[in-house]
Amino acid sequence: LEIRGDVNNAGTGGEFVAGDTILVKIVADVLNLNVYKMSSYGYISNGAAQGNSLTVAAGSMTVAKATAYASQAVVVPQTAFKIGEFNVTTGSTEALNLNQFTLAIGGTGDVTKLQDVYIVYGTKQTTVKSTVAASGNTFSINENVAANTTLNVKVYATLNTGLATSETIIPTLQVDATSQASGNAATGSVAGQTITVGTGAITAVVDASTPVSAIVVGGTMPLVGSFKFTAQNDAFTIVDLS
């Protein structure tokens, strides 16, 4: 015996909302009129039975900072630099339609020194904003995401030389969506990585492979010294050794 029905979220006081439970029961027959025997004929009663409890749910999602991309220091200027990376994960109930990203820029850095800001989500890219404000920077999208799915979202910007050393850039991403079946709104927001304006530096140390002392043979080219160069916050081209 299957019992089917519509679960609606609209009506006049009888609509379902997320968290409601539905429990279907078959009551015991006390009049011996519910079950008719097909061979021997005559009516018999049925016992009581209770179905499984169903919980009404709506589409949901979480927005989290991507742990694989760390906060870091960077020298300026930088073009199309990734200032934040996030993961949007849908719940198990139903698919969502993502319709808007809202980006805020926090930290101590001057937001007017950021240009050409855009967002990459999955394999797609939003329009590019030549300038942004500290909050309320919206990007309209139309992206269907299945239930139990994670969508990677990356934020890029050009960092100009007007940003001073030690100033920080912290993006906060808000995602707005609509459940595809129930039509409920879903939203999530989280602060991203901290990007700190730094200065480039390079250091040189004697490598452990350098021999302490050795007896060498004339006319050969033995290893007499080994050095290791380490760069911080920028790339360097070594043009002279002396």
Side-chain angles (χ1 to χ4, degrees):
L1 174 64
E2 291 185 353
I3 300 174
R4 297 177 178 269
D6 295 330
V7 181
N8 296 318
N9 64 346
T12 55
E15 62 271 16
F16 290 103
V17 296
D20 286 349
T21 56
I22 302 172
L23 182 60
V24 177
K25 299 178 181 180
I26 298 176
V27 299
D29 176 21
V30 297
L31 299 177
N32 291 339
L33 295 177
N34 282 358
V35 182
Y36 184 74
K37 296 181 288 186
M38 298 298 294
S39 297
S40 59
Y41 307 112
Y43 288 92
I44 59 175
S45 63
N46 65 274
Q50 179 174 296
N52 294 325
S53 178
L54 305 177
T55 301
V56 178
S60 62
M61 68 178 173
T62 58
V63 182
K65 178 171 61 176
T67 57
Y69 190 64
S71 298
Q72 58 194 274
V74 62
V75 296
V76 292
Q78 293 283 342
T79 301
F81 184 79
K82 183 167 64 174
I83 62 173
E85 184 172 348
F86 306 85
N87 288 320
V88 179
T89 303
T90 55
S92 60
T93 305
E94 60 178 315
L96 296 181
N97 181 55
L98 308 188
N99 48 59
Q100 182 172 275
F101 294 131
T102 303
L103 181 66
I105 304 295
T108 60
D110 184 357
V111 70
T112 64
K113 304 305 179 183
L114 272 66
Q115 294 180 333
D116 299 332
V117 179
Y118 62 93
I119 299 175
V120 174
Y121 54 105
T123 59
K124 301 177 183 179
Q125 179 185 312
T126 67
T127 56
V128 179
K129 291 186 180 295
S130 58
T131 60
V132 291
S135 61
N137 306 290
T138 59
F139 299 82
S140 296
I141 62 171
N142 184 16
E143 181 72 6
N144 295 326
V145 182
N148 280 328
T149 301
T150 297
L151 178 71
N152 184 250
V153 179
K154 302 172 184 177
V155 182
Y156 293 87
T158 293
L159 309 180
N160 292 325
T161 53
L163 291 167
T165 301
S166 298
E167 287 186 335
T168 56
I169 298 295
I170 306 173
T172 295
L173 180 70
Q174 176 179 316
V175 184
D176 294 302
T178 303
S179 301
Q180 292 187 12
S182 63
N184 290 312
T187 188
S189 177
V190 71
Q193 292 79 7
T194 299
I195 305 300
T196 304
V197 179
T199 56
I202 187 169
T203 58
V205 297
V206 177
D207 189 72
S209 62
T210 298
V212 177
S213 61
I215 298 175
V216 298
V217 178
T220 62
M221 297 183 64
L223 174 66
V224 295
S226 179
F227 303 88
K228 180 169 64 177
F229 294 87
T230 303
Q232 281 186 308
N233 304 332
D234 203 354
F236 289 83
T237 299
I238 297 175
V239 296
D240 183 58
L241 294 172
S242 59

